[in-house]
Amino acid sequence: MSTRLLRKEVDEALLAFVDRQRPGLLAISDELGPMLSALDALLAGGKRLRPAFCYWGWRGAGGDASPGIVTAAASLELLQASALIHDDVMDSSDTRRGQPSTHRRFEAMHRERGWPGAAVPFGTGAAILLGDLCLAWSGEMYEASALDAGRLSRGRAFHDLMRTEVMAGQYLDMLEGTRDTGTVETALRVVEYKSAKYTIERPLHLGAALAGASPEVIEALSAYGRPLGIAFQLRDDVLGVFGDPAETGKPAGDDLREGKRTVLVALTLDRADDATAAVVRRLLGDPALDGTGVAELRTIIEETGGLAACEAMIDRYAAEAGAALDAAPLTGEAREALGELTIAATARRG
């Protein structure tokens, strides 16, 4: 199956699931309509990487073209929606995928309707609840796929583990920014659990487990998926500072305003002298950081060698993933598709 066709089928599975849920939610109250509208807007975007890795984990382990695998894989987009909604609340992000973030959408609704009380807590609370709903629905969509009970049982451990790991990673990420004592090693730990595992490694495991893969195949997929997941997040961190807003869907330098303690920032601080490090710490996380401040931080990141070091790490992890993929006991079709996904996950965009 081509990447474009797979994405189309994932989109259709998501739309069909949400449409089945819609009447039940609206039967509770038509005032829940804005929750569905916010979810529709969020689900309309995204690269669908997690379903793609799940699908090719399945095919690589010998799974057939059963439509049930697309539905099971698409359930990961609801997990992703939950994580994005909650992440935007924690980071106070204004935008997501080029439109208002979910909590900002609900804040705006509160103000537009002239309701009493503060708009910000309402927006935060509504977003948290929608994120929780997406998390619940991800499990429901997985269980409702057309795969037989035996297959679903084999995959359930990985589906559950993904949800645990991403929440743990979110907490570690929040902790990293709060303590301001992070290192490259602790930043990489956040990368692994907040992003790398649940973006690539665990979706591969889930698909392979659903197909009945051997422990050797699962291990080979880890050897490929873990380094690729790290490279993917490191690339995302670079784009969060240097990317084109038209590509990233967020204002330029937004990660700097949010104070994200990424590997890129840790590498920069490792290489900066005391005076330069003090400038980074003063500007990083300033919500009022303007274009001049963003440019100053970008210059420091480049001139200290932080950017070059991060690019070298991306290349190293991507090469490790490529070598592991070449050696993995997978079908040729899956190896070719995963090779294309490797490029898509680590490409320099924006």
Side-chain angles (χ1 to χ4, degrees), residues 146-168:
L147 296 173
D148 66 61
R151 290 190 185 278
L152 290 173
S153 178
R154 285 197 295 270
R156 194 171 293 120
F158 287 116
H159 202 278
D160 291 344
L161 185 58
M162 286 176 66
R163 288 179 282 181
T164 297
E165 287 176 340
V166 72
M167 298 306 167

Side-chain angles (χ1 to χ4, degrees), residues 11-322:
D11 288 347
E12 290 172 351
L14 278 170
L15 179 62
F17 177 82
V18 175
D19 279 349
R20 286 196 299 273
Q21 302 294 94
R22 197 178 305 272
L25 206 61
L26 294 177
I28 297 171
S29 171
D30 58 9
E31 291 186 314
L32 290 165
M35 298 281 278
L36 287 163
S37 296
L39 179 57
D40 289 340
L42 183 60
L43 291 179
K47 304 177 188 71
R48 311 301 192 225
L49 283 177
R50 291 156 193 82
F53 281 110
C54 180
Y55 177 82
W56 288 111
W58 159 274
R59 294 304 299 269
D64 60 19
S66 166
I69 184 57
V70 173
T71 301
S75 73
L76 301 184
E77 282 298 301
L78 288 169
L79 172 58
Q80 166 73 342
S82 171
L84 292 179
I85 291 168
H86 288 164
D87 193 51
D88 285 345
V89 169
M90 288 185 285
D91 290 341
S92 298
S93 299
D94 293 328
T95 60
R96 170 66 64 179
R97 294 173 176 170
Q99 59 184 347
S101 53
T102 300
H103 62 287
R104 298 296 188 223
R105 179 185 293 269
F106 283 111
E107 284 177 29
M109 184 179 80
H110 186 286
R111 294 190 183 100
E112 288 164 3
R113 300 189 183 186
W115 291 337
V120 171
F122 175 81
T124 298
I128 290 171
L129 291 170
L130 182 57
D132 289 348
L133 182 63
C134 289
L135 185 62
W137 279 1
S138 71
E140 188 173 341
M141 186 176 183
Y142 173 80
E143 297 294 343
S145 67
L147 296 173
D148 66 61
R151 290 190 185 278
L152 290 173
S153 178
R154 285 197 295 270
R156 194 171 293 120
F158 287 116
H159 202 278
D160 291 344
L161 185 58
M162 286 176 66
R163 288 179 282 181
T164 297
E165 287 176 340
V166 72
M167 298 306 167
Q170 289 276 30
Y171 177 78
L172 291 173
D173 186 31
M174 187 171 62
L175 193 63
E176 190 81 356
T178 300
R179 293 189 300 192
D180 191 26
T181 57
T183 64
V184 173
E185 290 70 27
T186 58
L188 276 170
R189 182 183 63 178
V190 172
V191 164
E192 181 166 4
Y193 285 97
K194 183 183 175 184
S195 181
K197 284 185 176 294
Y198 110 104
T199 299
I200 298 177
E201 185 183 5
R202 295 309 186 201
L204 286 166
H205 287 167
L206 175 60
L210 288 168
S214 67
E216 290 75 21
V217 170
I218 297 292
E219 184 177 346
L221 289 173
S222 281
Y224 161 71
R226 180 184 176 276
L228 181 60
I230 294 172
F232 164 79
Q233 185 56 48
L234 295 180
R235 170 59 62 213
D236 198 59
D237 291 343
V238 170
L239 291 172
V241 175
F242 295 95
D244 180 350
E247 291 282 346
T248 64
K250 286 190 151 194
D254 217 34
D255 281 3
L256 300 174
R257 292 185 192 88
E258 292 170 5
K260 289 185 179 291
R261 298 288 172 161
T262 61
V263 172
L264 178 63
V265 169
L267 288 167
T268 299
L269 289 171
D270 265 3
R271 288 158 173 75
D273 58 32
D274 290 345
T276 304
V279 173
V280 173
R281 291 191 170 95
R282 176 172 56 83
L283 295 177
L284 190 68
D286 178 0
L289 190 69
D290 59 13
T292 301
V294 169
E296 184 174 2
L297 282 172
R298 284 173 169 169
T299 298
I300 290 171
I301 290 168
E302 289 186 272
E303 290 185 349
T304 58
L307 177 59
C310 194
E311 290 287 358
M313 287 181 72
I314 293 170
D315 291 344
R316 186 168 69 251
Y317 280 114
E320 182 182 339

